Amino acid sequence: MNQLRLDSFDVFAAIVRCGGFRAAALERGVSSSALSQTINALEEALGIRLLNRTTRSVSVTEAGQRLLDRLGPALSDIRLAITEVDDLRDSPSGTLRINAPAPAVDHLLCPLLFDFMELYPAVNIEIVSDAAVVDIVELGFDAGVRFGKQLAQDMIAVPLGLPLRYAIVAAPSYLERYGRPLTPHDLVRHDCIRRRFPGGRLVSWKFRNSDEEMDVSPTGRLTLSSAHNELQAALAGRGIAHVFEDYARPHLADGRLVEILSDWSATLPAWFLYYPSRRLPGAAMRTFLNYLHAYRWPHAPTSS
């Protein structure tokens, strides 16, 4: 039997856990071809095939499954030992990859992680802005950010930030020209700036007051896919926008935008940071979770 490398077994376990070479390569920050070479060398050293590979799928053989069943506890013990040693480092290191929608990136993750990077200079950060519901394990992310109803059952979720508030805004020039809607029903006579999700669905506008709750499908000539562009259009007087209050707050303060229908404003729960319950977080992720648990979110002022 040729000489075996311990990390080869960990690569084999990662490919099975992730369901393929591509996802495992993303998780480990290497190329798929590098993992393929490692598995080829491991199978050659053992003299038996561990994985069935086609151009479209990867599955574990009977021999591979038996090996994995015996290796699993041992690999877990090794990872735990490495984790305990890593915890003794003066400064944690590694890469933290997070997938999150743009509003969460803009108003929560960027400010939070910029401060985090100052405290932990050996940690690398990668943030991917993505509004689609994705499999963070398959794509090699340490964590994601979504609303609670979008989370898979095998995830651990941590509240991120404060409850969110929508604001309906328009430029003074638009309101002078077309008038100010007094109820959500009045929006059918206005040029609303619509948003389309990546999956193709148009966003409906939710309204709520003490007596009534309703959804409005906005009508208008302009349809966009970014809150930044919606805000840009509203500032240019192109219509009425429906955005998170965080985006509009600076422009409301300087008078470039006016909030309307504020007594109908809908709120949402806070975002959630989530990560796999079945995978031991790396040093960078564990340090960030500790930082997040200790963080005190500032209470944002509410627009009038």
Side-chain angles (χ1 to χ4, degrees):
M1 182 182 292
N2 296 333
Q3 185 177 4
L4 295 171
R5 293 180 51 181
L6 184 61
D7 62 341
S8 298
F9 295 109
D10 194 45
V11 167
F12 167 58
I15 292 168
V16 175
R17 183 181 69 253
C18 295
F21 284 83
R22 179 175 175 271
L26 284 169
E27 179 184 276
R28 301 174 72 87
V30 298
S31 66
S32 297
S33 61
L35 297 192
S36 181
Q37 292 172 11
T38 299
I39 293 301
N40 289 339
L42 179 59
E43 290 178 332
E44 183 178 347
L46 293 173
I48 194 167
R49 180 171 291 278
L50 302 175
L51 296 172
N52 294 315
R53 284 166 274 183
T54 69
T55 55
R56 293 189 176 183
S57 65
V58 174
S59 62
V60 64
T61 65
E62 181 182 357
Q65 188 60 56
R66 288 191 182 186
L67 178 63
L68 193 62
D69 291 342
R70 297 298 296 270
L71 281 175
L75 289 173
S76 295
D77 288 342
I78 291 170
R79 293 191 195 100
L80 182 59
I82 293 172
T83 297
E84 291 174 350
V85 171
D86 197 42
D87 285 340
L88 298 176
R89 293 166 57 98
D90 292 334
S91 179
S93 62
T95 298
L96 179 61
R97 300 186 72 235
I98 301 178
N99 181 290
V105 174
D106 289 338
H107 304 295
L108 295 175
L109 284 180
C110 277
L112 191 68
L113 287 169
F114 294 163
D115 291 342
F116 178 79
M117 292 175 70
E118 184 71 21
L119 292 173
Y120 302 101
V123 175
N124 300 318
I125 305 291
E126 180 179 353
I127 305 174
V128 174
S129 295
D130 189 354
V133 178
V134 299
D135 186 332
I136 60 170
V137 175
E138 180 182 355
L139 296 178
F141 290 98
D142 296 287
V145 176
R146 295 295 185 274
F147 290 119
K149 64 183 180 181
Q150 297 175 311
L151 304 185
Q153 293 183 351
D154 59 346
M155 295 290 167
I156 297 173
V158 180
L160 187 68
L162 301 171
L164 303 164
R165 179 179 181 271
Y166 277 113
I168 309 299
V169 298
S173 60
Y174 176 89
L175 297 177
E176 289 170 6
R177 185 175 182 182
Y178 296 105
R180 184 182 185 120
L182 300 179
T183 73
H185 299 287
D186 295 336
L187 291 172
V188 296
R189 296 189 293 274
H190 283 269
D191 211 356
C192 297
I193 302 164
R194 306 190 303 169
R195 184 191 305 182
R196 192 181 297 279
F197 281 136
R201 182 171 63 87
L202 285 168
V203 177
S204 63
W205 295 8
K206 299 183 182 298
F207 295 94
R208 184 185 303 114
N209 66 9
S210 57
D211 301 318
E212 193 175 357
E213 184 173 338
M214 70 178 74
D215 282 10
V216 172
S217 297
T219 58
R221 294 184 297 154
L222 182 61
T223 302
L224 301 166
S225 60
S226 159
H228 288 290
N229 295 143
E230 289 178 69
L231 199 64
Q232 190 176 11
L235 288 166
R238 292 299 92 204
I240 297 174
H242 169 269
V243 296
F244 284 128
E245 184 183 22
D246 288 333
Y247 281 113
R249 187 176 291 114
H251 306 294
L252 294 171
D254 65 17
R256 296 183 66 198
L257 289 178
V258 175
E259 183 175 2
I260 56 180
L261 303 175
S262 59
D263 54 338
W264 284 89
S265 178
T267 58
L268 293 171
W271 298 101
F272 283 90
L273 179 92
Y274 67 99
Y275 58 97
S277 60
R278 299 179 182 178
R279 189 172 73 190
L280 185 67
M285 181 63 181
R286 291 196 313 278
T287 304
F288 179 63
L289 288 172
N290 291 335
Y291 179 80
L292 182 58
H293 282 303
Y295 191 81
R296 295 293 176 263
W297 297 98
H299 286 272
T302 301
S303 298
S304 57

